[in-house]
Amino acid sequence: MLLSPASLQALRGRLIVSAQAYPGEPMRHPQTMAQVAASAVIGGAAAVRVQGIADIRFTRSVVEVPVIGLFKDGHEGVFITPTIHHALAVANAGAHIVALDGTRRERPDGKSLEQTINAVHERSAALVMADCGSLDDALAAAQAGADLIGTTLAGYTGERDKTEGPDLELLEQIAAAGLERPLIAEGRIHTPAQAKAALDAVSFAVVVGTAITHPASITGWFDAALRG
């Protein structure tokens, strides 16, 4: 499957499911996460988002929907597919879309966002999703050549307050900027109502992760409610 900007239209108005587990958790196994991703597709996910080279390869082997891949290296600063090396590794593992840090912060390899995006476009068939934290990030990412813009890092870079749910104001701001790129709502979308609200905020598609694929967090929500 080759994914082009035009073929992205199949994702319009649809749900993308992020299947990730944190280091040290029982589910932190590539084959397990691929199975979780495949289960999400059965439920209606139009695409999946997975982290790690092995996870991408396993997931590609069990689903027939677009795979958004990323490579987390570290826990602070620019750590989502932070360098050209990471981005090309994700593309070479089979990701249809490479998700990377799309902020204006300095990257660990000293390369610009534009150089990183260009490297993916020139050396692979993958598209690029820029995970942004603000309107200025989104504007810069579009200028740098990103194929998709996501609000993944809203509330995590110091430019905006961390909202309790999705940052609907940011979604509306980016949509109003007319970037002519699919706008993907991502971050703290925990209920179907929030997902619908994020889509209604003029976004193109919606990513849900924790609320669908992270049992530890979901169990904690219920436990806290009962203890509360």
Side-chain angles (χ1 to χ4, degrees):
M1 174 197 300
L2 288 177
L3 202 62
S4 68
S7 63
L8 285 175
Q9 293 305 311
L11 300 182
R12 181 181 290 277
R14 299 294 303 279
L15 173 67
I16 300 168
V17 172
S18 178
Q20 301 181 45
Y22 299 104
E25 293 184 337
M27 291 176 64
R28 178 57 268 172
H29 187 280
Q31 189 169 6
T32 299
M33 298 319 298
Q35 292 169 330
V36 171
S39 297
V41 173
I42 292 174
V48 293
R49 177 170 161 126
V50 295
Q51 189 281 136
I53 301 304
D55 296 56
I56 295 167
R57 289 173 175 158
F58 271 109
T59 302
R60 273 299 308 268
S61 72
V62 297
V63 304
E64 295 183 359
V65 300
V67 174
I68 303 171
L70 61 142
F71 189 150
K72 290 182 178 177
D73 192 352
H75 304 282
E76 298 180 354
V78 176
F79 68 91
I80 298 177
T81 321
T83 70
I84 289 177
H85 170 77
H86 291 90
L88 292 177
V90 169
N92 292 334
H96 301 96
I97 301 170
V98 175
L100 45 72
D101 184 298
T103 68
R104 306 179 325 280
R105 298 176 293 182
E106 183 177 356
R107 308 182 77 80
D109 59 359
K111 302 298 184 181
S112 68
L113 177 60
E114 183 175 11
Q115 288 174 309
T116 306
I117 293 173
N118 285 344
V120 175
H121 287 161
E122 292 168 1
R123 305 184 204 177
S124 77
L127 302 180
V128 174
M129 175 176 172
D131 292 348
C132 298
S134 68
L135 173 60
D136 286 341
D137 282 345
L139 294 172
Q143 182 66 33
D147 301 291
L148 306 91
I149 303 295
T151 57
T152 317
L153 293 174
Y156 297 106
T157 65
E159 288 195 78
R160 296 183 62 81
D161 292 335
K162 183 178 178 182
T163 54
E164 182 175 348
D167 193 333
L168 301 180
E169 180 183 59
L170 177 59
L171 286 167
E172 292 169 353
Q173 289 177 354
I174 297 175
L179 299 182
E180 299 183 348
R181 305 282 198 286
L183 174 57
I184 311 299
E186 182 171 8
R188 300 182 299 280
I189 300 173
H190 293 159
T191 68
Q194 288 179 333
K196 185 61 167 60
L199 188 64
D200 289 344
V202 206
S203 64
F204 179 86
V206 176
V207 175
V208 177
T210 299
I212 294 176
T213 63
H214 197 244
S217 293
I218 300 167
T219 302
W221 297 341
F222 280 88
D223 181 59
L226 296 179
R227 291 173 183 270

